Amino acid sequence: MNFCSDNTAGAHPKILAALSAANGGSAMPYGNDELTKRVEQKIAKIFERECAVFLVGTGTSANALALAALAPNYGVVYCHPESHVNMDECGAPEFFTGGAKLAGIPGAHGKIAAADLDRAIKAGGIGVVHHSQPAAVSLTQATEAGTVYRPAEIAAIASAAHAHGLMVHMDGARFANALVQVGCTPAEMTWRAGIDALSFGATKNGAFAAEAVVFFDPDRARSFGYRRKRAGHLWSKMRFLAAQLDAYLEGDLWLENARHANRLAAELARGLSAIKAVRLEHPVEANELFVTLPETVIRGLEADGFRFYRWMDDSSTTPRLVTSFETDPAHVAAFIASARRHAAAAA
Amino acid sequence: MNFCSDNTAGAHPKILAALSAANGGSAMPYGNDELTKRVEQKIAKIFERECAVFLVGTGTSANALALAALAPNYGVVYCHPESHVNMDECGAPEFFTGGAKLAGIPGAHGKIAAADLDRAIKAGGIGVVHHSQPAAVSLTQATEAGTVYRPAEIAAIASAAHAHGLMVHMDGARFANALVQVGCTPAEMTWRAGIDALSFGATKNGAFAAEAVVFFDPDRARSFGYRRKRAGHLWSKMRFLAAQLDAYLEGDLWLENARHANRLAAELARGLSAIKAVRLEHPVEANELFVTLPETVIRGLEADGFRFYRWMDDSSTTPRLVTSFETDPAHVAAFIASARRHAAAAA
Amino acid sequence: MNFCSDNTAGAHPKILAALSAANGGSAMPYGNDELTKRVEQKIAKIFERECAVFLVGTGTSANALALAALAPNYGVVYCHPESHVNMDECGAPEFFTGGAKLAGIPGAHGKIAAADLDRAIKAGGIGVVHHSQPAAVSLTQATEAGTVYRPAEIAAIASAAHAHGLMVHMDGARFANALVQVGCTPAEMTWRAGIDALSFGATKNGAFAAEAVVFFDPDRARSFGYRRKRAGHLWSKMRFLAAQLDAYLEGDLWLENARHANRLAAELARGLSAIKAVRLEHPVEANELFVTLPETVIRGLEADGFRFYRWMDDSSTTPRLVTSFETDPAHVAAFIASARRHAAAAA
Amino acid sequence: MNFCSDNTAGAHPKILAALSAANGGSAMPYGNDELTKRVEQKIAKIFERECAVFLVGTGTSANALALAALAPNYGVVYCHPESHVNMDECGAPEFFTGGAKLAGIPGAHGKIAAADLDRAIKAGGIGVVHHSQPAAVSLTQATEAGTVYRPAEIAAIASAAHAHGLMVHMDGARFANALVQVGCTPAEMTWRAGIDALSFGATKNGAFAAEAVVFFDPDRARSFGYRRKRAGHLWSKMRFLAAQLDAYLEGDLWLENARHANRLAAELARGLSAIKAVRLEHPVEANELFVTLPETVIRGLEADGFRFYRWMDDSSTTPRLVTSFETDPAHVAAFIASARRHAAAAA
């Protein structure tokens, strides 16, 4: 009964089947195959416009390669201090950009506010050679706090960024989870709101290892192919990366997977908030919860076989609980029951 | 009938089956799973010693990450001018090392001679701040010319390198092909001959996307985990990378696959050399041939549906022919017959 | 009457004379000259121990090169958020380290507190591959706020750093100003308190363009010569860099220059604090003041011909005032008188 | 009697005087001073067009910064294998570009031939992601062999480069020496022949430490100011860099200095070629000679107190002899006499 992360899940059977189906005969390598082209077209269709699409195997590479295409080495990338790009990639954006700075814009519930971004950019010394230059902003959707930006919020941020010539990146490792929550179209969530480049995640939501970087202005992507290759992220047997995304995007599998994960997260939130002495730290809008519990309850849950991370460190009494496309509803029910029982015992 | 590359092949059914088998239930991410540990142990056993093992998805990342662990940014990495690291990785070694120089040591049939390396190092200005410093040598095994270094040749090169404090890397994208040709043990081919770090390839020989970087002195690998993460090459669902290598190394699958490819390459070589007006450019010791043919024969083969690259450019009359673990012997026979027929017609 | 910065000053006549004296005849380039050796010995003597000394022309290069020798590309360098390395070098430390992260530790009056550093390091995830690794701390002495660390404060910081394996750098662009304020020896201010590498500044205190990077453990400096050269900071006619430092360190010129600047800053502080409606933002311990004044007073001073920067932006009512080795005491008196007059008029 | 290099010379008295003259009063830092503006205007006038001018202290930084503005990190910079950028900068171009490749185009007497460049570019795989992309060519004027490109040769090279979209850089560390030899205008030697960016050297020809990077299309230089700062090459007391160039370019000092050096090199060449058993390796067109001599003659010269480097290594019998603006004609006469005497004794 593992609530550690959505990456402890396996791959969806349909995606495994697609990999198997892609395995017949020979195919040209490095993306010069039919499946890759088909995926590119599917993504263009989903986003309702021409776009430049690049497949890679990991979310960190998607983010870092995208940022390297948007920011020069003397640039500043604004992001939430707790964002994955800033905290959990061991400096990948710094590496890929050649030493750009990531500047944290704090904000409640994992979100950046447009006004704070605007203020930071204005204080950033545009045109002054002594300072790294404001170049891009990176939003995480859904955020690391399990919350979701609405299109209007994104538009406000993008507008602040564009007003000063900055580009806007969205880390969509949990893009599907955000999308089904908001109920808008992929286009409304991205380029119509001002997003320039998207890390479109599939790994956490049912793939083995598959992400796409999407540039809504293909001109911005001119150097991307070289950067991907020189970073070792161009798969030779690319059809196997493409096959995952092809199945992922077929017949709404990606949305169904996200709906399942979100629904169980909501259920968990509902069940736990009914318990006195339990506090939800953030609104539950995707597939993550941050729940403060009495230490004895946490130990009881651990003893009952539930696995999760205490956030942000081992002595914390706020476990993070993550659901995925394959989380068993029975595990959710069992978790709530266990928490209730231990809370009652402690009271 | 595709002879373009061994990466036009798919994955071996046993490797697909392993992926499927690995897909049940949850597993801890980022290599903290059982399969990854098992693969590490298998590799240590195959190489008959403790070693540090890191799994990645592509050969370019394996090479570039290994070189970054062996050479500082002010270093020189010696390699054959036509080696993959120098020619076909869009500068990945330069990127990962932070700007080390790759210096070509030309040599017949894709191989570096120890004496030439020694001469280059001695002329390299060790200790002189004006010059990038000799730091490492990278051998390709099997080479880009389809030839194979013998352990004694490797030992001579490693000895020249070590005498001046340089580290020795082996790009083993086709390690299995070399190994079955020489008939020695993996240990004899590597650390017993002086190799410090190995890119141990599986992708070209039956995996989807799986390579291992092996350091024979684990101390050399202290920074590797950070470098892999910050390059975006740490898979979250690592079990699916490990599962490929687990099956690859089970019951000699890797050696059988390589034997199949090599045997067909040898057969192709035998059949083609019997044709007058055909010239093999290099000894055929692995799964690649470089065959100079009359232009009309090449066009005839193309017209008959055979695919291959002209080497090094489109106007060349030297096709490169590559066999793989799944090359159909009938295709080889058909190729020889077609070449013979067109050659006869041209005579 | 320029109080903008100590770098609006020229060079001290004795340093000019030394340059002229060094100009006779030929000298071996790149530091293989007598003057460079003499400066290295002088610095070793001043710091009372063997050390590795490297001359460069700018403070930014001294800092960035030093940090690149202390922190790997996957490292974190802790520093005050307003420090020069973080704010005013357009990302030089990030460039020279290959993408290390600079993490700000806020603290009153431009200083880091040891306890805050300790907390940050402990939260930094040492050994966890997802996070850039705590690697070094950089102190500015005197600080950007015009304050000075005492040896005991430095020792506490260094002790927190060393306890976790981090190296300690001191940006001593205004080292002399700090030293004469504290009244300790250079050794007490640095290696005896735990400093590993020092940017020893001379430019702001009387040189044309001359700084030294000093490593108290020469082993730490093994790569420095290559890094300096490959960054373009190895002067060919090195004697002219050395000559500046030779004169700077001769007969206490460096300390006299700093005493002059500090004395006038103190005088300015005394004079201004006597004026009601004037507030000093930080203790004045070196050659910089941050003085909050009514807008009309600021405009009056500007109209009277005084030049200074409003800190941190053009609409601020806190001018920064900097004195130097050549600041005219009459200008200081005039400044105070002008401020007093305009303040009286405004009251 | 030092013929080692033109950087064993000091600075010209007029340049020292200019430094002294610039030392009165305060001046705004970082290039916001009058002298810097004046130098920029002088350079624009000399080159007969608007251009973007950036002052730095060393030739290596001038070259590496210029190349970083012209080539992306996935780029290839073509140059002569023995050029300074490739051989003598410890990988500075690789560092500043973030890992571009330097590709050597061999050619007689230190020069690249346009046809060879054209061939290399065509074989460079433009548009193919596997290969670092042809991006720039760097010429050295005068070359490392002491020879000089004529404007027509430069134009042919630039034309080959531009035809494929590459930019053209000239390393003019000895620009003045080349110019007085050819007798054309600075414009004819550079932008009229297709040069995009020039490292305009002064250090070797009479300055302390002063070079200018000149972009003939200012648009190309948009990132340069940030790159210079983040590389630590923006001097705070910039007037002292500017003062050197101001004097250097005043009243043809730069051309007179170069004429003196070239004349003495020619005299040396004339005198030495009259000796049997002496062979000049390259035409003597600037201020460097490469002279093959019997070992006994070399030892005799050394014993007589002449200093020079054996080229390229200590066992070579080809000394490199370099003259400078302050070489004493008597030393040249003495050198010839000594060589003649030892050659006679050996015969």
Side-chain angles (χ1 to χ4, degrees):
Chain A
M1 294 179 298
N2 193 320
F3 290 91
C4 287
S5 176
D6 30 13
N7 58 30
T8 62
H12 193 279
K14 287 186 181 171
I15 291 178
L16 176 60
L19 212 62
S20 177
N23 197 23
S26 71
M28 292 310 281
Y30 300 118
N32 300 312
D33 62 285
E34 291 311 309
L35 260 178
T36 299
K37 281 180 189 53
R38 193 158 84 199
V39 165
E40 289 170 8
Q41 285 159 5
K42 272 191 181 173
I43 288 176
K45 202 172 160 203
I46 282 170
F47 284 97
E48 304 173 49
R49 67 171 287 163
E50 191 200 354
C51 44
V53 176
F54 298 88
L55 311 187
V56 294
T58 68
T60 294
S61 67
N63 287 337
L65 283 165
L67 291 175
L70 300 183
N73 58 4
Y74 53 86
V76 173
V77 177
Y78 296 97
C79 57
H80 196 277
E82 288 158 29
S83 62
H84 201 266
V85 291
N86 193 41
M87 284 284 291
D88 297 303
E89 302 188 345
C90 198
E94 288 88 347
F95 174 41
F96 281 67
T97 56
K101 280 182 106 74
L102 269 67
I105 310 278
H109 303 313
K111 291 160 82 170
I112 295 173
D116 294 336
L117 174 67
D118 188 59
R119 202 170 305 118
I121 298 172
K122 281 174 178 156
I126 288 182
V128 179
V129 295
H130 302 283
H131 309 312
S132 292
Q133 293 293 295
V137 56
S138 179
L139 303 181
T140 314
Q141 177 76 320
T143 73
E144 299 295 324
T147 56
V148 168
Y149 287 99
R150 267 65 195 174
E153 294 172 300
I154 298 167
I157 287 168
S159 167
H162 290 158
H164 299 286
L166 283 73
M167 306 303 296
V168 188
H169 168 250
M170 177 178 278
D171 172 1
R174 296 186 178 97
F175 185 79
N177 303 87
L179 195 69
V180 298
Q181 166 74 11
V182 172
C184 68
T185 67
E188 285 163 354
M189 187 84 104
T190 55
W191 62 273
R192 285 201 207 275
I195 298 296
D196 297 295
L198 168 70
S199 298
F200 181 74
T203 308
K204 290 180 193 291
N205 193 34
F208 292 91
E211 313 274 316
V213 182
V214 184
F215 289 87
F216 298 107
D217 173 0
D219 264 5
R220 279 274 147 201
R222 273 171 308 188
S223 69
F224 198 94
Y226 304 110
R227 292 182 185 276
R228 177 175 60 171
K229 172 67 197 181
R230 98 194 234 93
H233 285 290
L234 179 62
W235 283 29
S236 55
K237 298 181 175 178
M238 182 73 101
R239 56 170 146 168
F240 297 120
L241 196 38
Q244 298 177 60
L245 284 158
D246 191 52
Y248 182 70
L249 298 172
E250 192 64 35
D252 285 354
L253 177 62
W254 64 303
L255 302 174
E256 286 165 22
N257 281 358
R259 277 188 204 109
H260 177 91
N262 284 14
R263 190 170 52 237
L264 290 185
E267 210 163 299
L268 204 46
R270 215 160 26 239
L272 293 175
S273 15
I275 304 171
K276 226 172 74 177
V278 164
R279 188 176 72 240
L280 287 174
E281 297 298 332
H282 304 298
V284 177
E285 302 181 340
N287 63 325
E288 293 189 293
L289 297 82
F290 296 80
V291 202
T292 301
L293 300 166
E295 177 65 28
T296 55
V297 178
I298 297 175
R299 295 210 178 158
L301 286 159
E302 287 169 343
D304 288 351
F306 295 100
R307 302 187 70 177
F308 43 76
Y309 294 120
R310 292 166 181 250
W311 213 250
M312 307 278 300
D313 62 74
D314 292 352
S315 64
S316 147
T317 55
T318 305
R320 182 186 75 159
L321 306 173
V322 192
T323 57
S324 82
F325 77 96
E326 68 175 20
T327 298
D328 187 339
H331 291 184
V332 167
F335 191 99
I336 295 167
S338 168
R340 197 181 298 135
R341 194 171 68 250
H342 293 294
Chain B
M1 293 179 297
N2 193 320
F3 291 91
C4 287
S5 176
D6 29 14
N7 58 30
T8 63
H12 193 278
K14 288 186 179 170
I15 291 178
L16 177 60
L19 212 63
S20 177
N23 198 22
S26 72
M28 293 309 283
Y30 300 118
N32 300 312
D33 62 285
E34 291 310 308
L35 259 178
T36 299
K37 282 181 188 53
R38 193 158 84 199
V39 164
E40 287 171 9
Q41 285 158 6
K42 272 191 180 173
I43 288 176
K45 201 170 160 205
I46 282 171
F47 283 96
E48 305 174 49
R49 68 171 288 164
E50 191 200 354
C51 44
V53 176
F54 298 88
L55 311 188
V56 294
T58 68
T60 293
S61 67
N63 288 337
L65 283 166
L67 291 175
L70 301 182
N73 59 4
Y74 53 86
V76 173
V77 177
Y78 296 97
C79 58
H80 195 276
E82 287 159 30
S83 62
H84 201 267
V85 291
N86 193 43
M87 284 285 291
D88 297 304
E89 303 188 345
C90 198
E94 288 87 348
F95 175 41
F96 281 66
T97 57
K101 280 182 105 74
L102 269 66
I105 310 278
H109 303 314
K111 291 160 82 171
I112 295 174
D116 293 337
L117 174 66
D118 188 59
R119 202 170 305 118
I121 297 172
K122 281 175 178 154
I126 288 182
V128 179
V129 295
H130 302 284
H131 309 312
S132 291
Q133 293 293 295
V137 56
S138 179
L139 302 181
T140 315
Q141 176 77 321
T143 74
E144 300 295 324
T147 57
V148 168
Y149 287 99
R150 268 65 195 175
E153 294 172 300
I154 297 167
I157 287 168
S159 166
H162 290 158
H164 300 286
L166 282 74
M167 305 305 295
V168 188
H169 168 251
M170 178 178 278
D171 172 1
R174 296 187 179 96
F175 185 78
N177 303 86
L179 195 69
V180 300
Q181 165 75 10
V182 172
C184 67
T185 66
E188 286 163 354
M189 187 84 105
T190 55
W191 61 274
R192 286 201 206 277
I195 298 297
D196 296 296
L198 168 70
S199 299
F200 181 74
T203 309
K204 290 179 192 293
N205 193 35
F208 292 90
E211 314 273 317
V213 182
V214 184
F215 288 86
F216 298 108
D217 173 1
D219 265 5
R220 278 275 147 202
R222 274 172 306 189
S223 69
F224 198 95
Y226 304 109
R227 292 181 185 276
R228 177 175 59 173
K229 173 66 197 181
R230 98 193 234 92
H233 285 290
L234 179 63
W235 282 30
S236 56
K237 298 182 175 175
M238 183 74 101
R239 56 172 146 168
F240 298 119
L241 195 38
Q244 297 177 60
L245 283 158
D246 191 52
Y248 183 69
L249 298 172
E250 192 63 36
D252 286 355
L253 176 62
W254 64 302
L255 301 174
E256 287 164 23
N257 281 359
R259 276 188 204 109
H260 177 91
N262 284 15
R263 190 169 52 237
L264 291 185
E267 210 162 298
L268 203 47
R270 216 162 22 241
L272 293 174
S273 14
I275 303 170
K276 228 172 75 177
V278 165
R279 186 176 74 239
L280 287 173
E281 296 298 333
H282 305 299
V284 177
E285 301 181 338
N287 64 324
E288 293 189 294
L289 296 83
F290 295 80
V291 202
T292 302
L293 300 165
E295 178 65 28
T296 54
V297 177
I298 296 174
R299 297 210 176 156
L301 286 159
E302 287 169 343
D304 289 351
F306 295 101
R307 301 187 70 176
F308 43 76
Y309 293 121
R310 293 166 180 248
W311 213 250
M312 304 281 299
D313 63 75
D314 293 352
S315 64
S316 147
T317 56
T318 304
R320 182 185 76 159
L321 306 174
V322 191
T323 57
S324 82
F325 78 95
E326 68 175 19
T327 299
D328 187 338
H331 291 184
V332 168
F335 191 100
I336 295 167
S338 168
R340 197 181 297 135
R341 194 171 67 252
H342 293 295
Chain C
M1 292 179 296
N2 194 321
F3 291 90
C4 287
S5 176
D6 30 13
N7 58 30
T8 62
H12 193 278
K14 286 187 182 171
I15 291 178
L16 177 60
L19 212 62
S20 177
N23 198 22
S26 72
M28 292 310 282
Y30 300 117
N32 301 311
D33 63 284
E34 291 311 308
L35 259 178
T36 300
K37 283 182 188 52
R38 192 158 84 198
V39 165
E40 288 170 8
Q41 285 158 6
K42 272 191 182 174
I43 288 177
K45 200 170 161 205
I46 282 171
F47 284 96
E48 304 173 51
R49 68 172 288 165
E50 191 200 353
C51 44
V53 176
F54 298 88
L55 312 187
V56 294
T58 68
T60 293
S61 67
N63 288 337
L65 283 165
L67 291 175
L70 300 182
N73 60 4
Y74 54 85
V76 174
V77 177
Y78 296 98
C79 57
H80 196 276
E82 286 159 30
S83 62
H84 201 266
V85 291
N86 193 42
M87 284 284 291
D88 297 304
E89 302 187 348
C90 197
E94 288 88 347
F95 174 42
F96 282 66
T97 57
K101 278 182 107 73
L102 269 67
I105 310 277
H109 303 313
K111 291 160 82 170
I112 296 174
D116 294 336
L117 174 66
D118 188 59
R119 204 170 303 120
I121 298 172
K122 282 175 178 155
I126 288 182
V128 179
V129 296
H130 302 283
H131 309 312
S132 291
Q133 292 294 296
V137 55
S138 179
L139 304 181
T140 314
Q141 177 77 321
T143 73
E144 300 296 324
T147 57
V148 168
Y149 288 99
R150 268 65 195 175
E153 294 173 298
I154 297 167
I157 287 169
S159 167
H162 290 158
H164 299 285
L166 282 74
M167 306 304 296
V168 188
H169 168 251
M170 177 177 277
D171 172 0
R174 296 186 178 97
F175 185 79
N177 302 88
L179 196 68
V180 299
Q181 166 76 8
V182 172
C184 67
T185 67
E188 286 163 353
M189 187 84 104
T190 54
W191 62 274
R192 285 200 206 276
I195 298 296
D196 296 296
L198 169 70
S199 299
F200 181 74
T203 308
K204 288 179 192 293
N205 193 34
F208 291 91
E211 313 273 316
V213 182
V214 184
F215 289 87
F216 298 108
D217 173 2
D219 265 6
R220 279 275 145 202
R222 273 172 308 189
S223 69
F224 198 94
Y226 304 110
R227 292 181 186 275
R228 177 175 58 173
K229 173 67 197 182
R230 98 193 234 92
H233 284 290
L234 178 63
W235 283 30
S236 56
K237 297 182 175 176
M238 182 73 101
R239 56 171 146 168
F240 297 120
L241 195 37
Q244 298 177 60
L245 283 158
D246 191 51
Y248 183 69
L249 297 172
E250 192 64 34
D252 285 354
L253 177 61
W254 64 304
L255 301 174
E256 286 163 24
N257 281 359
R259 276 187 205 109
H260 178 91
N262 284 14
R263 190 170 50 237
L264 290 185
E267 210 162 300
L268 204 45
R270 214 161 25 239
L272 293 175
S273 14
I275 304 171
K276 226 171 75 174
V278 165
R279 186 176 74 238
L280 287 174
E281 297 297 334
H282 305 297
V284 177
E285 302 181 338
N287 63 324
E288 294 189 292
L289 295 83
F290 296 79
V291 202
T292 302
L293 300 165
E295 177 65 27
T296 53
V297 177
I298 297 175
R299 296 209 179 158
L301 286 159
E302 288 169 343
D304 289 352
F306 295 101
R307 301 188 70 177
F308 43 76
Y309 293 121
R310 292 166 181 248
W311 213 252
M312 306 280 298
D313 62 75
D314 291 352
S315 64
S316 148
T317 56
T318 304
R320 182 186 76 160
L321 306 174
V322 192
T323 56
S324 81
F325 78 95
E326 68 174 20
T327 298
D328 186 339
H331 291 184
V332 168
F335 191 99
I336 295 167
S338 168
R340 195 181 298 135
R341 195 171 67 250
H342 293 294
Chain D
M1 293 178 296
N2 194 321
F3 290 91
C4 287
S5 177
D6 29 14
N7 58 30
T8 62
H12 193 278
K14 287 187 181 171
I15 291 178
L16 176 60
L19 213 62
S20 177
N23 198 22
S26 72
M28 293 310 281
Y30 300 118
N32 300 312
D33 62 284
E34 290 312 309
L35 259 178
T36 300
K37 282 181 187 53
R38 192 158 84 200
V39 165
E40 287 171 8
Q41 284 158 5
K42 272 191 183 175
I43 288 177
K45 200 169 161 206
I46 282 170
F47 284 96
E48 304 173 49
R49 67 172 287 164
E50 191 200 353
C51 44
V53 176
F54 300 88
L55 311 188
V56 293
T58 68
T60 293
S61 66
N63 288 336
L65 283 165
L67 291 175
L70 300 182
N73 59 4
Y74 54 85
V76 174
V77 177
Y78 296 97
C79 57
H80 196 277
E82 287 159 29
S83 62
H84 201 268
V85 291
N86 193 42
M87 284 284 291
D88 297 304
E89 302 187 347
C90 198
E94 288 88 348
F95 175 42
F96 282 66
T97 56
K101 279 182 107 73
L102 269 67
I105 309 277
H109 303 312
K111 291 160 82 171
I112 295 174
D116 294 336
L117 174 66
D118 188 60
R119 203 169 304 119
I121 298 172
K122 281 175 178 155
I126 288 182
V128 179
V129 295
H130 303 283
H131 310 312
S132 291
Q133 292 294 296
V137 57
S138 179
L139 303 181
T140 315
Q141 176 78 321
T143 73
E144 300 295 325
T147 57
V148 169
Y149 287 99
R150 267 65 194 175
E153 294 172 299
I154 297 167
I157 288 168
S159 167
H162 290 157
H164 299 286
L166 283 74
M167 306 304 295
V168 188
H169 168 251
M170 177 178 278
D171 173 0
R174 296 187 179 96
F175 186 79
N177 302 88
L179 196 69
V180 299
Q181 165 76 9
V182 172
C184 67
T185 68
E188 285 162 354
M189 186 84 105
T190 56
W191 63 273
R192 286 201 205 276
I195 298 297
D196 297 294
L198 168 70
S199 299
F200 181 73
T203 309
K204 290 179 192 292
N205 193 35
F208 292 91
E211 314 273 316
V213 182
V214 184
F215 289 86
F216 298 107
D217 173 1
D219 265 5
R220 279 276 145 201
R222 274 172 306 189
S223 69
F224 198 95
Y226 304 110
R227 293 181 185 276
R228 177 175 59 172
K229 173 66 198 181
R230 97 194 234 92
H233 284 290
L234 179 62
W235 282 31
S236 55
K237 298 183 175 176
M238 182 73 101
R239 57 172 146 169
F240 297 120
L241 195 37
Q244 298 177 60
L245 283 158
D246 191 51
Y248 183 69
L249 297 173
E250 193 62 34
D252 286 353
L253 177 62
W254 65 303
L255 301 174
E256 286 163 24
N257 281 358
R259 276 188 204 109
H260 177 91
N262 284 15
R263 190 170 50 238
L264 291 185
E267 210 162 299
L268 204 46
R270 215 161 24 240
L272 293 174
S273 15
I275 303 170
K276 226 171 76 173
V278 165
R279 186 177 73 239
L280 288 174
E281 296 298 334
H282 305 298
V284 177
E285 302 181 339
N287 63 325
E288 294 189 293
L289 296 82
F290 295 80
V291 201
T292 302
L293 299 165
E295 177 64 28
T296 54
V297 178
I298 296 176
R299 297 209 177 156
L301 286 159
E302 288 169 342
D304 288 351
F306 295 101
R307 301 187 70 176
F308 42 76
Y309 293 120
R310 291 166 181 248
W311 213 251
M312 306 277 300
D313 62 75
D314 292 352
S315 64
S316 147
T317 55
T318 305
R320 181 186 77 160
L321 306 174
V322 191
T323 57
S324 81
F325 77 96
E326 68 175 19
T327 299
D328 186 339
H331 290 185
V332 167
F335 191 100
I336 296 167
S338 168
R340 196 181 297 135
R341 194 171 66 251
H342 294 294

